[in-house]
Amino acid sequence: MAVVSTPGIDGTIDIPTQVFESFLSELESTGASSEMIARLRKTLLEDHIFTEGALKTAVLGEETSL
């Protein structure tokens, strides 16, 4: 899965996005589930949801009852 950078209004990438992309790349290199990485990428980088419940769902999948 390629790392996609989302530039801000002024063309720079914000620090949280850089940190999350680095974290997801590390997860990918350790052999973590591609499905989990995709859910985390959506939650953190697309939806910008940082709640405990959202992160649990991203990590554990929909089978988790919150």
Side-chain angles (χ1 to χ4, degrees):
M1 181 176 288
V3 174
V4 178
S5 300
T6 307
I9 293 172
D10 62 356
T12 61
I13 300 172
D14 61 68
I15 299 300
T17 297
Q18 290 176 15
V19 170
F20 293 146
E21 286 180 347
S22 176
F23 171 71
L24 293 170
S25 292
E26 286 295 317
L27 276 179
E28 192 170 41
S29 72
T30 63
S33 161
S34 60
E35 292 84 12
M36 178 187 68
I37 293 170
R39 289 190 305 263
L40 278 169
R41 184 174 306 282
K42 181 176 184 333
T43 300
L44 296 171
L45 297 175
E46 295 174 21
D47 298 341
H48 303 283
I49 302 172
F50 310 113
T51 64
E52 181 179 351
L55 293 174
K56 280 183 181 179
T57 300
V59 171
L60 302 174
E62 292 298 322
E63 69 273 2
T64 304
S65 173
L66 299 176

